[in-house]
Amino acid sequence: MTALQHPAPRRRREPGSTRSLSAVLTTFVALGAVLMLVPFAWLVVASTHSTNEIFSSPPALLPGDRFWTNLTGLFGSLEFGTAFRNSLVVSTVYTALGMLVCSTAGYAFAKFRFRGRNAMFTVIIASLALPGQVTLVPLFKMMVALGWLNSYQGLILPNLALPFGIFLMRQAMQSVPDELLQAARVDGAGEFRTFFQIVVPTMRPALAALAIFLFLGQWNDFVYPLIVQRDPAAYTLPVSLATLHGVQSTDYGQLLTGTLISVLPVLVLFLFLQRYFVAGLLAGSVKQ
């Protein structure tokens, strides 16, 4: 009778090799971070120079003294303040309403059983493959029929039910235990109270990730606002900055200054919500 053969013990990784691997990975991550920061650093430096200095050879690598001149010229050459306000109002309201719509839809798909649920969710997922340009003409005709050209509601309402947002919230809300919801209903809580007082507080990471996606998408949107906003007073920031491109010449100092200012709200939002961002993207990826 042969003796049982035990598997060979795993060789432990030496502490020195572990530290070396960690150092190599840290170095690569640091290099990647530096490469990603270089374009933003150049944007900051270029916004403080004139057009001639930006295209000089060798290029200017240190900040100049033209920032306030570019900023003054920017506000004088177009309604930059109005465009900034329009973008801020539209993006903020759209983000708030989009979070409400996507979270309630995701909750319904995750926790309710109704006829046609799977078919409806399949259609929503399939719509992710539909290019946004396909819907431009129908949306424009709808805005004309409703009289919503040059209006905030024309920019906010059409895309509230974002398919990706519904998918993200549905996947996240599947991790909420059904027993917790049933206990709330037994205690006499209605569906709205259960949703807002029990479900929403547990979905903060996912909601923060959704808020970043919604705000960033609406803030940077260019094609759709260009089509439905015909009055310069109703332009959003990307459309307003595009008007700085002249036929003969373009003041790139002013253009890059406006671009820098347009980036700041997104950076502030991400800095406030960054600790929730990764957790929100991973929500629902592991079943409880």
Side-chain angles (χ1 to χ4, degrees), residues 73-74 77-78 80 239-247 249-256 258-259:
L74 181 66
S77 60
L78 50 83
F80 186 81
V239 178
S240 183
L241 288 175
T243 62
L244 288 175
H245 285 285
V247 177
S249 63
T250 300
D251 192 327
Y252 285 96
Q254 294 183 13
L255 180 61
L256 293 175
T259 303

Side-chain angles (χ1 to χ4, degrees), residues 7-27:
R10 293 183 178 180
R11 179 179 298 177
R12 290 185 177 182
R13 183 174 293 175
E14 296 294 333
S17 62
T18 302
R19 286 194 295 268
S20 300
L21 179 60
S22 178
V24 171
L25 292 177
T26 302
T27 302

Side-chain angles (χ1 to χ4, degrees), residues 3-165:
L4 293 177
Q5 295 183 353
H6 296 282
R10 293 183 178 180
R11 179 179 298 177
R12 290 185 177 182
R13 183 174 293 175
E14 296 294 333
S17 62
T18 302
R19 286 194 295 268
S20 300
L21 179 60
S22 178
V24 171
L25 292 177
T26 302
T27 302
F28 275 108
V29 171
L31 289 176
V34 170
L35 290 176
M36 294 183 66
L37 288 175
V38 165
F40 183 74
W42 182 85
L43 173 64
V44 174
V45 172
S47 66
T48 63
H49 292 280
S50 63
T51 300
N52 292 333
E53 292 171 340
I54 292 173
F55 290 98
S56 63
S57 181
L61 299 178
L62 296 177
D65 57 356
R66 296 270 304 182
F67 180 79
W68 292 111
T69 303
N70 292 335
L71 189 63
T72 304
L74 181 66
F75 279 90
S77 60
L78 50 83
E79 298 182 6
F80 186 81
T82 302
F84 189 90
R85 181 197 64 195
N86 292 338
S87 285
L88 189 62
V89 171
V90 169
S91 299
T92 302
V93 175
Y94 172 79
T95 301
L97 294 179
M99 290 171 63
L100 177 63
V101 172
C102 293
S103 61
T104 51
Y107 177 64
F109 280 115
K111 296 301 179 182
F112 289 93
R113 302 293 182 267
F114 52 89
R115 181 176 299 177
R117 184 189 67 160
N118 293 334
M120 291 176 60
F121 189 70
T122 301
V123 171
I124 291 174
I125 295 301
S127 67
L128 289 171
L130 189 67
Q133 292 79 1
V134 174
T135 62
L136 288 178
V137 174
L139 280 177
F140 177 75
K141 290 185 175 180
M142 289 175 61
M143 297 303 104
V144 172
L146 294 172
W148 285 1
L149 295 180
N150 300 318
S151 65
Y152 286 159
Q153 61 266 28
L155 294 176
I156 295 172
L157 297 181
N159 298 313
L160 282 181
L162 187 69
F164 174 77

Side-chain angles (χ1 to χ4, degrees), residues 155-199:
L155 294 176
I156 295 172
L157 297 181
N159 298 313
L160 282 181
L162 187 69
F164 174 77
I166 296 175
F167 170 76
L168 177 66
M169 296 310 300
R170 186 252 187 186
Q171 295 302 108
M173 289 186 180
Q174 283 184 331
S175 63
V176 178
D178 293 336
E179 294 79 7
L180 183 62
L181 304 180
Q182 293 172 2
R185 291 162 185 156
V186 169
D187 289 339
E191 291 299 333
F192 284 100
R193 184 179 177 185
T194 301
F195 177 74
F196 286 106
Q197 293 188 1
I198 296 178
V199 177

